[in-house]
Amino acid sequence: MTQPIINILINMTLKTYTALSVAMLAMTCTFAQQFYFEKKVVSDSSALREFIPSLAEKVLRNTKKDTTLLYYGNLYQMQMAAGHFGDVQQSIDHYLDAYAINRMYEPNLFVHEVYIAAKQLQNTENTAFTEAFTTTFNRYYDNFPGHLMPSISRNIDEDIPDLKEKLQKQLEELKDKDSISTAQAKGLCKAYNKYAMFSEIGPLARKLLQKKDEAIFTIEEDVLIKTSEKATLTATIIRRKTNTDPLPVILVYNIYAGDYDFETAKRAAVNGYVGVTVNTRGKRKSQNEIEPFEHDGRDAYDVIDWISKQPWCNGKIGMMGGSYLGFSQWSAVKKPHPALKTIVPQVAVGIGVDYPMQNHVFMSYMLRWIHYVINNKFTDEKSFFDGEHWSGLFEKWYKEGSAFQTLDSLNGEPNKIFQRWIDHPAYDEFWQNMVPYREDFANINIPVLTTTGYFDVDQLGAMYYFKEHYKYNPEAEHYLLIGPYSHGGGQSYANKTIGDYTIDKSANISIYEVVYEWFDHVLKGGPLPAILKDRINYQVMGTDKWRHAPSLQAMNTDSLTLYLSNIRQGEHYKLIPRKEGQAEYVRHEVDLGDRKDLDAYNSYSGGILSDDIYTGNGITYISEPLDKDLIVNGSFTGEIHAAINKKDMDMAIFLYEVLPSGKYFSLSNYIARASFTRDNTKRQLLTPGKKESVPITNTFFTSRKLGKGSRLLVVLGINKNPDWQINYGTGKDVSEETIKDAGEPLDIRWYNDSYIRIGTQNP
């Protein structure tokens, strides 16, 4: 979870849903072409300025067509670097069309398009660049689609010294080389492009945008709101100048203080509302301590009360936002304010459920995120995006085998937020007090729209709130919209491709548009969004259709139960539809003290549609080929029967479709601490040597048509890698265990009456 504009970065359960950049980089490296590198460009800026166009020309001559998105994404960058400004716009058009419907990604490239057009105008009219850029900016902005304008704000300028540092770092890495690869050449050209462009436009683009905004909107910045607990919060308020009557308010409650505050508030104003973005305690102008998650619910009540009394508010308030901002909405309804009429939690963090621990296994990423939000009054972008530093830290901890609780000290200094969180491995009052818990959900009687995706890293959180709401309030008016979306797509708009997987055309929707149709429905009496035909609205991958159901149970007409047998079939064991008569088991040994697996783990990039899978510390079970098409829906459940020689284990289960072509499609996954599977509020250790029953719940939700001839494959194993805590099985607090606690290898007997079950439906 992280800032809504980032499709982040958690290496979900042994990299099943890894960031796509790894795969994209791999595709750029498929050719062994080498390019001459002039060493003097490392220290001579004039030589670099002359070298880049010639390098880009050579890359262009050797560029081969691969995936459409990647090809045009590289092509327009190389054309820019080579100075082929007349060709760039066409390549950008192809890129935008391949990225998402209705050119939804265009705000990210708005400055690029203006810059390119200004360069052409400068050349044809022989005018100063500042004048050409100003003329072009105004023309492009005035003709830009209104619903996309808000997103321009966060893409309008960059930290120029930071861009220079990044460029210099790339040059330093190449200083001893006589030739560089295609990937290195592209990376260098892109880094140079960005630095050169933003150095030239400087603060001009920001000033031009500010002038446009001031003509259209009334903008109030750094408005201070006092809470009943004496805290001070900072608000950004944006209204259209043409709207003089009181209006409903869209509130975004945001820990990521920055340009995103303007974007979200402006989006509300563009759509006919008053936009208010409030930063959590300690952010922007607030002088309070930054303590993520802990105070948001109580502060939100006071914020909503304050907004409801403002002359520009008509008394109706809705909330929206994704990730942390989804959590903050659920925190706000723990004690609902009467002026809050609806919430739209998107890809919502389930605090204590899927972050900072997933089914009670803490993730290393939590430290990275904590630094991101508490290092300053805004966000520490430089630290957060230093992937080399963080992966190096996590690998160092893994290799040394030190206690998880020392991870912050290994990074240079103790972190009290990190330490506070790991002190609560159970779902105890610490987490329960932050959001509605049990009967609290019965008091939530306002309409709710939840959006998430099959590949959303915070899907477990979003689904937790949805299920708990209906569990304690069966008459709730709560809609679910879910499809083949990532963490970013589930709160903004669909990408046409996710890695190697091209989503169905019907899934290509704008979540933004659905959300504001929802607000128009609830706050202004408009029709319900057309896509919300029932409480559950889900896109069935492989059918190009949406389906709708009144409940999760009603999605399926049947279920498929598969037992994990001990019958060997080639490199796998059989996954069979009936329990065997005699209790047998598969013996499995995992050396928790071994660190030789790190290279294999790092070499696997994961993905949704892959040629191979990472089995790591697991064994595999495979079914017979399907004799007909079959739709699988929902989250798989089941029960694992096992006996181990220790007191606990962290299990990992992955569910794949194996296509007739041999490719693997990732359907779902699960990671959990066995000692918490019966009761998430209390740890119950396993008895060494005793056959135990471990229930499987809280797995990732999916919906896909499996084709005739496909098979299901289960990878069952033990979680052990740098991205998560390592449970050595002593029964002590896992955060305190070290590699010295590994002792003898974990010896597991996976019994053949273990099974998984998933809902099914005929196509």
Side-chain angles (χ1 to χ4, degrees):
M1 47 139 311
T2 183
Q3 186 171 358
I5 62 172
I6 305 165
N7 295 342
I8 203 60
L9 271 186
I10 303 174
N11 276 336
M12 286 297 296
T13 48
L14 304 182
K15 302 189 177 180
T16 299
Y17 301 138
T18 49
L20 303 179
S21 58
V22 176
M24 295 179 73
L25 178 61
M27 285 188 281
T28 65
C29 300
T30 53
F31 309 114
Q33 180 71 43
Q34 293 285 310
F35 299 98
Y36 168 67
F37 182 69
E38 291 185 18
K39 293 181 181 180
K40 66 178 181 179
V41 306
V42 174
S43 56
D44 187 335
S45 58
S46 297
L48 177 63
R49 188 165 51 248
E50 293 179 6
F51 174 70
I52 288 293
S54 63
L55 177 63
E57 287 278 10
K58 294 173 184 175
V59 174
L60 283 170
R61 287 197 296 269
N62 288 274
T63 295
K64 298 183 180 180
K65 185 74 176 283
D66 40 36
T67 66
T68 301
L69 183 65
L70 185 62
Y71 173 72
Y72 285 112
N74 282 320
L75 183 62
Y76 88 81
Q77 292 268 21
M78 295 307 104
Q79 289 169 337
M80 279 185 68
H84 297 177
F85 297 115
D87 300 328
V88 179
Q89 186 60 56
Q90 185 178 32
S91 298
I92 286 179
D93 289 340
H94 286 304
Y95 178 70
L96 293 173
D97 289 340
Y99 198 97
I101 59 165
N102 301 328
R103 299 169 68 94
M104 292 291 294
Y105 190 72
E106 190 165 15
N108 299 63
L109 298 184
F110 174 81
V111 173
H112 293 71
E113 294 183 286
V114 173
Y115 179 80
I116 293 157
K119 281 293 185 182
Q120 291 181 277
L121 183 62
Q122 179 187 22
N123 293 335
T124 57
E125 300 293 330
N126 195 26
T127 186
F129 178 75
T130 299
E131 181 181 342
F133 187 84
T134 301
T135 300
T136 306
F137 184 98
N138 291 331
R139 174 164 54 87
Y140 270 63
Y141 190 87
D142 291 343
N143 290 284
F144 205 70
H147 67 286
L148 297 181
M149 282 183 180
S151 297
I152 293 175
S153 299
R154 59 179 153 90
N155 298 289
I156 203 70
D157 68 0
E158 290 276 355
D159 183 335
I160 297 172
D162 184 53
L163 294 179
K164 183 177 182 180
E165 182 180 331
K166 289 177 180 176
L167 172 61
Q168 194 59 43
K169 183 178 180 180
Q170 286 205 26
L171 289 168
E172 286 294 327
E173 290 174 353
L174 302 174
K175 65 180 181 180
D176 295 324
K177 298 183 180 296
D178 295 313
S179 63
I180 57 177
S181 68
T182 301
Q184 290 170 325
K186 289 178 179 178
L188 181 59
C189 288
K190 289 176 183 179
Y192 182 83
N193 273 351
K194 203 168 188 180
Y195 171 64
M197 182 177 73
F198 283 106
S199 294
E200 192 163 9
I201 64 176
L204 178 59
R206 173 67 72 179
K207 289 180 180 178
L208 292 171
L209 179 61
Q210 183 178 349
K211 186 176 180 181
K212 289 290 186 183
D213 284 345
E214 289 172 350
I216 300 170
F217 304 105
T218 298
I219 301 173
E220 298 177 71
E221 299 180 55
D222 298 336
V223 177
L224 300 181
I225 302 173
K226 295 285 186 180
T227 75
S228 58
E229 295 182 0
K230 312 297 184 188
T232 303
L233 308 180
T234 312
T236 301
I237 304 164
I238 300 182
R239 297 172 284 145
R240 266 193 180 277
K241 289 185 173 180
T242 54
N243 292 331
T244 56
D245 295 330
L247 290 171
V249 173
I250 306 304
L251 167 64
V252 174
Y253 196 27
N254 181 25
I255 197 171
Y256 305 104
D259 288 338
Y260 190 71
D261 298 334
F262 289 85
E263 177 180 345
T264 53
K266 197 185 299 183
R267 178 170 288 110
V270 164
N271 281 280
Y273 296 86
V274 176
V276 179
T277 302
V278 176
N279 300 129
T280 57
R281 284 193 194 187
K283 306 299 288 187
R284 205 178 280 271
K285 296 294 183 178
S286 171
Q287 297 306 307
N288 300 99
E289 189 174 1
I290 303 171
E291 296 178 300
F293 300 105
E294 295 185 38
H295 312 287
D296 293 0
R298 300 188 304 278
D299 289 351
Y301 187 94
D302 295 333
V303 167
I304 293 167
D305 190 67
W306 181 87
I307 292 172
S308 69
K309 296 173 181 176
Q310 301 308 305
W312 33 260
C313 175
N314 72 354
K316 296 180 179 181
I317 299 168
M319 293 182 74
M320 68 168 292
S323 199
Y324 189 104
L325 287 60
F327 151 82
S328 66
Q329 295 172 69
W330 284 111
S331 70
V333 293
K334 188 173 181 70
K335 179 187 175 184
H337 191 286
L340 183 60
K341 304 302 182 183
T342 184
I343 60 173
V344 184
Q346 303 165 277
V347 299
V349 170
I351 191 66
V353 175
D354 68 356
Y355 182 83
M357 56 186 179
Q358 190 174 120
N359 292 324
H360 305 277
V361 184
F362 283 106
M363 54 186 69
S364 308
Y365 167 80
M366 63 192 277
L367 182 63
R368 180 177 185 172
W369 184 86
I370 290 168
H371 273 265
Y372 182 48
V373 297
I374 73 170
N375 278 8
N376 60 50
K377 293 291 185 179
F378 296 90
T379 50
D380 190 344
E381 307 282 332
K382 186 174 182 179
S383 168
F384 185 78
F385 287 106
D386 188 354
E388 186 176 325
H389 165 77
W390 292 107
S391 61
L393 172 67
F394 301 154
E395 288 182 13
K396 178 183 179 182
W397 162 76
Y398 182 74
K399 289 177 181 177
E400 291 181 357
S402 54
F404 189 76
Q405 65 183 7
T406 67
L407 187 61
D408 55 344
S409 297
L410 282 174
N411 193 46
E413 59 181 347
N415 184 293
K416 68 178 182 179
I417 299 297
F418 176 82
Q419 293 296 330
R420 188 181 305 167
W421 288 1
I422 63 175
D423 280 344
H424 298 276
Y427 192 68
D428 58 17
E429 289 186 356
F430 178 73
W431 310 110
Q432 296 165 13
N433 289 337
M434 298 180 192
V435 287
Y437 181 62
R438 292 184 176 174
E439 286 75 12
D440 292 339
F441 284 98
N443 300 320
I444 303 171
N445 294 306
I446 59 174
V448 180
L449 171 61
T450 285
T451 69
T452 183
Y454 304 138
F455 313 114
D456 167 26
V457 293
D458 279 315
Q459 185 212 99
L460 297 182
M463 296 301 298
Y464 166 79
Y465 297 121
F466 181 81
K467 289 184 283 190
E468 290 293 290
H469 193 188
Y470 271 113
K471 179 179 179 180
Y472 291 99
N473 189 347
E475 302 304 316
E477 186 182 353
H478 191 158
Y479 288 77
L480 171 67
L481 178 66
I482 186 168
Y485 310 128
S486 65
H487 191 59
Q491 60 186 307
S492 55
Y493 53 85
N495 291 352
K496 288 185 176 180
T497 59
I498 306 179
D500 285 344
Y501 174 56
T502 300
I503 69 173
D504 295 339
K505 288 183 179 180
S506 64
N508 285 310
I509 65 171
S510 167
I511 302 293
Y512 286 145
E513 293 177 16
V514 175
V515 168
Y516 275 97
E517 288 173 3
W518 171 266
F519 284 139
D520 289 346
H521 166 66
V522 176
L523 301 176
K524 295 182 177 180
L528 188 69
I531 199 169
L532 303 180
K533 298 185 186 302
D534 216 323
R535 295 291 191 262
I536 316 293
N537 306 274
Y538 59 105
Q539 201 276 322
V540 185
M541 295 183 288
T543 67
D544 201 19
K545 293 179 181 178
W546 286 84
R547 292 201 178 192
H548 315 271
S551 67
L552 292 173
Q553 294 74 24
M555 290 175 62
N556 298 301
T557 55
D558 204 346
S559 64
L560 179 64
T561 301
L562 293 167
Y563 288 87
L564 283 58
S565 81
N566 62 311
I567 305 170
R568 192 82 183 185
Q569 180 174 302
E571 59 183 313
H572 310 292
Y573 292 92
K574 284 189 175 183
L575 198 57
I576 59 177
R578 64 188 63 82
K579 181 164 42 174
E580 296 175 74
Q582 187 173 353
E584 299 286 353
Y585 55 82
V586 174
R587 198 75 173 263
H588 183 203
E589 188 176 277
V590 178
D591 186 352
L592 296 166
D594 175 39
R595 294 296 182 267
K596 295 190 294 291
D597 54 0
L598 184 59
D599 289 342
Y601 178 71
N602 285 337
S603 68
Y604 176 69
S605 62
I608 296 163
L609 186 62
S610 308
D611 291 322
D612 61 355
I613 57 174
Y614 178 78
T615 56
N617 299 295
I619 55 177
T620 55
Y621 300 82
I622 195 163
S623 73
E624 293 296 322
L626 295 173
D627 58 7
K628 62 178 181 179
D629 292 353
L630 182 69
I631 291 174
V632 292
N633 287 323
S635 306
F636 74 86
T637 59
E639 199 164 294
I640 297 297
H641 297 114
I644 64 174
N645 62 334
K646 296 179 185 289
K647 296 179 181 180
D648 205 0
M649 61 178 174
D650 289 349
M651 299 192 314
I653 303 177
F654 304 89
L655 179 63
Y656 295 93
E657 174 191 4
V658 183
L659 282 68
S661 65
K663 285 185 174 290
Y664 298 87
F665 191 97
S666 180
L667 295 171
S668 181
N669 65 66
Y670 174 70
I671 181 173
R673 183 152 296 156
S675 56
F676 280 109
T677 54
R678 291 190 184 89
D679 184 346
N680 67 353
T681 68
K682 182 174 62 176
R683 192 179 188 193
Q684 300 176 52
L685 295 173
L686 282 62
T687 301
K690 178 184 175 183
K691 181 181 178 182
E692 302 266 13
S693 175
V694 181
I696 302 170
T697 59
N698 205 32
T699 67
F700 274 78
F701 186 105
T702 192
S703 179
R704 176 166 167 83
K705 185 185 79 171
L706 309 180
K708 179 181 178 181
S710 285
R711 296 181 291 172
L712 286 170
L713 183 137
V714 168
V715 181
L716 170 64
I718 299 300
N719 182 68
K720 182 176 77 75
N721 61 77
D723 297 318
W724 303 84
Q725 266 184 323
I726 297 175
N727 184 351
Y728 292 96
T730 65
K732 297 189 299 187
D733 184 337
V734 175
S735 292
E736 298 176 2
E737 292 180 317
T738 74
I739 199 168
K740 294 178 181 178
D741 293 304
E744 61 183 359
L746 176 62
D747 185 14
I748 317 162
R749 299 178 181 183
W750 303 113
Y751 282 88
N752 59 2
D753 53 352
S754 302
Y755 66 89
I756 65 163
R757 179 177 293 131
I758 190 165
T760 62
Q761 190 181 52
N762 290 323

